[in-house]
Amino acid sequence: MIEKIIILSLIITAVHVSMREGMIFGFMGVFFRRSLPAVMRSPLFECLTCMGGLYGVILHAILWGISLSMIPVIIAVIGLNSIIDKYIGDE
């Protein structure tokens, strides 16, 4: 379970960081910031904690399937992402 949490959290963090200005997909982040409302931007790429829920479910379903055991994993991913977000901070 810990492996799943770490893998999911690192993938989500990579997506989040890569969309920052100056990073490889920064141009996409700029485009999405201009074209999407804030309520959609947060879970897609702006809020690492919010991304944990959305991407956590999607990635868990792709990598390991859907089951009730994914609920504590997703909750832990959200928690770990909150901690990571405090360390990497805003742009």
Side-chain angles (χ1 to χ4, degrees):
M1 181 166 134
I2 301 237
E3 291 174 4
K4 290 181 181 181
I5 295 165
I6 293 171
I7 290 169
L8 291 174
S9 187
L10 290 177
I11 292 171
I12 295 166
T13 301
V15 171
H16 174 70
V17 170
S18 70
M19 299 277 253
R20 288 180 166 184
E21 190 174 328
M23 297 296 180
I24 190 164
F25 296 117
F27 67 94
M28 292 174 60
V30 170
F31 173 77
F32 289 141
R33 279 184 194 91
R34 291 180 183 161
S35 58
L36 295 175
V39 71
M40 291 177 68
R41 291 190 311 250
S42 289
L44 289 178
F45 68 94
E46 277 190 343
C47 173
L48 191 55
T49 305
C50 304
M51 290 173 68
L54 177 66
Y55 285 96
V57 170
I58 293 169
L59 290 171
H60 192 288
I62 291 170
L63 297 173
W64 299 290
I66 298 173
S67 65
L68 286 177
S69 65
M70 71 190 277
I71 294 171
V73 171
I74 302 307
I75 292 170
V77 167
I78 293 169
L80 182 56
N81 282 0
S82 297
I83 294 168
I84 292 171
D85 192 42
K86 296 299 177 192
Y87 282 102
I88 65 173
D90 291 329
E91 297 174 43

